[in-house]
Amino acid sequence: MRVFSRMIGIAAMALAVAATQPATAQDKVIKFATPQDFTVVYTFVTNEYNQGYRDYISLVNEAGGVNGYKIEVLVADHGNATQRGIEAYERFVREGAILIDPLSTPVSRALVDRALKDNVNLATTVSGRSDAADGSVFPYILPMSPSYWSQISRVVDYLNTQEGGLKGKKMAFVYIDTPFGREGLPMLDALSKRYGFELQSFPYAPPGNEQSAVWTQVRRFKPDWAFIGGGGVGQPVAIKEAIRNGINPDRIASWVWLSESDMDVVGRAEAKGVLKWAATEQGRDAKVIKEILANVVDKGKGAGPKEKVGTSYYNVGVMAAAIAVEGVRKAFEKDPKGPFNGKWLNAGLTSISNFTADGFLPPVTVTPEDHQGGGAGKLARWDGAKWVGIGDWAAPNQDLVWQLIREQSAQYKATGK
């Protein structure tokens, strides 16, 4: 896996065409950049996400691009290290990238001030700081997807319905002890007060391959539900440790970061019943995934193994690319002549309206004030072989979500933190 990841980074960098200015009419190229963690913490998460991202861009380019402009994706491995992420960001900005997707909360947090200063669109799809939904404070930080707070809220609301109420129940939040993992704390605390459940939090050290002591503490707490808040290696380890400590898989829930690859590590049959928040429709049935298979992958132009097409992480990557490209389309509608820089793209990204990628996503609307896109998601449960979607798209408790968004964005505005 790590060798494959390095090959991705090396090949992509070799193909990247250097440029010192934003795309011009002569270039006929719009540049996106995906400096991401292929080798340290998120590994196969990033491989599958980036594969889906690039395959969708290939689908667009094979159809002629957007207004005759092709999208070029620049790729690098930052290893989830903030300094490497900063270096990659600065290099790609020099090369003309007007959208950068680091797929890492620690790295994206380190890039916020730079992106705001440079007028470069920092895409933080289902990741990053949740208060970036406040576009009035973070004009160039664009989740364009439900924050971790919205994801957690959807899961807890579903559990409340299934349990006939969570009052008096116990929930353990087991999370990676990084800004990414800690992002869930304020929302779970607020929800525990609203729904009346007892919350205890149990952090583990990154990357998360050793959690045995933490789960011994969880076992003593005797939770009704365990919510796991990690990504990459920490997620299957958390599920395995939960099961080993007597927690049934159908009492384990997570935000978006669980995929088929995680279930392979746990054991597909052993993981049956695990619940997660879902950003997209699952599997290969969606129209856009079928189009990628027919027009990109089956023509030998895919960015990775065919068997990964339609996996959860792959589909999230498709989502991220599709929303970004929709922003390009909207930008051309507003100003077909450019200049094709970050400000131009930002105007397009913040005018996306009810975009679903042909039913693949909940309706996504992004405005200059609201960068979350609506906050809707659904649930998916592992049936032993695949993820099965549950229920409709919904975004409960948005009053709590936006209360936290405004509180923390105000703090950033006042302190820069």
Side-chain angles (χ1 to χ4, degrees):
M1 182 61 70
R2 290 183 178 227
V3 172
F4 176 67
S5 300
R6 292 191 187 100
M7 289 174 66
I8 287 177
I10 292 169
M13 291 304 297
L15 291 171
V17 179
T20 58
Q21 299 293 331
T24 68
Q26 289 75 35
D27 295 329
K28 289 284 187 179
V29 168
I30 304 295
K31 293 188 179 184
F32 295 170
T34 60
Q36 295 171 356
D37 174 18
F38 292 94
T39 55
V40 180
V41 178
Y42 305 133
T43 56
F44 55 75
V45 177
T46 306
N47 284 332
E48 294 171 27
Y49 175 98
N50 200 269
Q51 180 183 342
Y53 194 103
R54 289 187 291 148
D55 279 355
Y56 183 84
I57 298 300
S58 294
L59 178 69
V60 171
N61 287 341
E62 287 296 304
V66 182
N67 279 34
Y69 284 71
K70 299 296 180 71
I71 310 293
E72 182 178 359
V73 182
L74 311 176
V75 185
D77 176 24
H78 60 51
N80 205 43
T82 55
Q83 188 55 44
R84 288 174 63 186
I86 291 168
E87 291 168 358
Y89 165 89
E90 291 178 342
R91 180 170 71 254
F92 288 146
V93 170
R94 289 195 301 270
E95 292 177 3
I98 58 175
L99 179 142
I100 294 180
D101 180 353
L103 193 63
S104 163
T105 295
V107 172
S108 67
R109 278 180 170 267
L111 294 175
V112 165
D113 291 345
R114 287 174 168 80
L116 293 175
K117 176 177 176 291
D118 297 338
N119 291 352
V120 169
N121 298 284
L122 188 69
T124 58
T125 311
V126 290
S127 63
R129 55 186 306 156
S130 295
D131 59 354
D134 186 349
S136 67
V137 176
F138 298 97
Y140 283 87
I141 316 303
L142 293 133
M144 300 180 291
S145 57
S147 68
Y148 288 125
W149 295 340
S150 286
Q151 294 175 40
I152 290 169
S153 176
R154 180 70 172 95
V155 173
V156 170
D157 187 72
Y158 174 81
L159 299 183
N160 183 67
T161 300
Q162 296 302 299
E163 295 278 327
L166 288 174
K167 187 173 182 179
K169 303 288 186 180
K170 293 182 177 181
M171 183 176 295
F173 178 43
V174 185
Y175 64 95
I176 189 168
D177 196 11
T178 65
F180 158 47
R182 292 191 291 271
E183 193 73 21
L185 287 168
M187 192 65 207
L188 277 168
D189 182 61
L191 291 169
S192 71
K193 294 178 174 65
R194 171 161 288 187
Y195 289 98
F197 60 86
E198 181 182 351
L199 174 69
Q200 281 200 22
S201 300
F202 302 88
Y204 59 80
N209 51 6
E210 176 48 59
Q211 300 179 33
S212 57
V214 168
W215 284 97
T216 298
Q217 298 173 45
V218 175
R219 184 180 69 232
R220 291 173 184 153
F221 177 52
K222 298 181 180 179
D224 296 285
W225 282 93
F227 190 103
I228 57 172
V233 65
Q235 291 290 76
V237 170
I239 295 172
K240 290 169 74 172
E241 286 291 343
I243 295 170
R244 189 173 70 84
N245 282 275
I247 299 173
N248 290 333
D250 63 3
R251 311 303 287 181
I252 301 170
S254 175
W255 47 34
V256 67
W257 300 122
L258 279 178
S259 187
E260 291 77 0
S261 297
D262 299 289
M263 302 299 99
D264 288 336
V265 175
V266 177
R268 291 197 164 210
E270 290 79 2
K272 184 178 180 180
V274 172
L275 187 73
K276 70 166 184 175
W277 180 88
T280 72
E281 295 292 354
Q282 302 298 292
R284 292 182 169 186
D285 291 337
K287 179 182 178 182
V288 65
I289 303 300
K290 291 178 179 178
E291 289 179 347
I292 288 172
L293 282 165
N295 298 308
V296 178
V297 177
D298 289 344
K299 292 183 178 180
K301 298 179 180 181
K306 182 175 180 178
E307 60 267 22
K308 296 300 182 182
V309 176
T311 62
S312 295
Y313 295 152
Y314 180 99
N315 285 2
V316 175
V318 171
M319 174 186 76
I323 295 171
V325 170
E326 179 67 6
V328 174
R329 291 193 177 100
K330 289 291 187 179
F332 271 112
E333 287 178 7
K334 285 179 167 290
D335 185 356
K337 296 183 179 180
F340 307 121
N341 55 21
K343 184 177 180 180
W344 171 82
L345 178 57
N346 188 265
L349 293 169
T350 56
S351 62
I352 294 172
S353 180
N354 290 316
F355 176 68
T356 69
D358 291 317
F360 185 54
L361 312 174
V364 175
T365 296
V366 183
T367 70
E369 296 76 29
D370 179 357
H371 287 182
Q372 187 185 207
K378 63 170 59 175
L379 282 297
R381 191 179 293 278
W382 182 251
D383 73 355
K386 62 185 180 300
W387 291 103
V388 179
I390 301 172
D392 298 323
W393 305 114
N397 298 303
Q398 288 298 300
D399 59 328
L400 284 182
V401 171
W402 276 94
Q403 179 181 330
L404 288 174
I405 287 170
R406 293 188 178 99
E407 287 175 357
Q408 294 206 7
S409 65
Q411 181 180 346
Y412 174 85
K413 189 173 183 179
T415 67
K417 296 180 181 178

